[in-house]
Amino acid sequence: MSSILCLTPRSLFGVFELDTDGTVLYCGKVENSHLTELQPDLIGRNLFEELADFKDCDKLQKRFRRFVRDSRPTDNFNFSFDLGEKAVEAKIMMVRVRVRSDENNGDLIVVDIRKV
């Protein structure tokens, strides 16, 4: 596996399409309420194990796993990213997307992370 690429506070905000293991399938940045550039260097990496560089990543990963296991279509919550020297407040929305095709039957999770 290639070296770890960490999300910085600036790149933390955006829309991430994840498989149920947390692997990034798509991502883009949100600036001024608009989805802008794609971040192709993040695709194929696990958001929680390879990209997230904040002290309380395990809390967000547990919340994600709980969402994957249950049947709710959405989850909205506030989260404080502990970046060491400071905390960054965010609003997170997770949405379940059912995929039905010949190649893939299952769920994708769209995670929208916005600065509060």
Side-chain angles (χ1 to χ4, degrees), residues 16 22 36-37 41-42 68 84-85 91 95 97 99 103-104:
F16 299 86
T36 59
E37 67 188 61
D41 50 338
L42 304 180
V68 168
E85 71 282 354
K91 174 78 174 170
V95 178
V97 179
V99 177
E103 298 125 23
N104 187 6

Side-chain angles (χ1 to χ4, degrees), residues 12 54 56 60 79-83 86-90 92 113:
L12 188 65
F54 48 93
D56 50 358
L60 183 58
F79 191 82
S80 180
F81 291 97
D82 183 353
L83 301 173
K86 64 179 178 177
V88 176
E89 301 298 320
I92 299 178
I113 304 173

Side-chain angles (χ1 to χ4, degrees), residues 8-59:
T8 64
R10 181 169 168 75
S11 64
L12 188 65
F13 303 108
V15 175
F16 299 86
E17 182 181 296
L18 308 176
D19 68 11
T20 55
D21 293 324
T23 301
V24 177
L25 304 173
Y26 168 89
C27 57
K29 279 189 347 187
V30 175
E31 290 185 3
N32 300 324
S33 299
H34 298 292
L35 186 61
T36 59
E37 67 188 61
L38 292 173
Q39 298 178 38
D41 50 338
L42 304 180
I43 294 174
R45 295 175 181 248
N46 187 285
L47 179 68
F48 306 103
E49 297 170 7
E50 296 182 71
L51 299 174
D53 187 28
F54 48 93
K55 293 182 178 183
D56 50 358
C57 176
D58 60 324
K59 291 179 186 174

Side-chain angles (χ1 to χ4, degrees), residues 72-116:
R72 292 176 298 149
T74 64
D75 189 14
N76 296 289
F77 56 94
N78 289 333
F79 191 82
S80 180
F81 291 97
D82 183 353
L83 301 173
E85 71 282 354
K86 64 179 178 177
V88 176
E89 301 298 320
K91 174 78 174 170
I92 299 178
M93 179 174 63
M94 291 188 273
V95 178
R96 183 182 320 277
V97 179
R98 301 267 183 213
V99 177
R100 304 280 186 233
S101 70
D102 292 339
E103 298 125 23
N104 187 6
N105 284 330
D107 291 347
L108 298 176
I109 309 298
V110 176
V111 180
D112 185 354
I113 304 173
R114 298 187 187 226
K115 189 172 183 178
V116 173

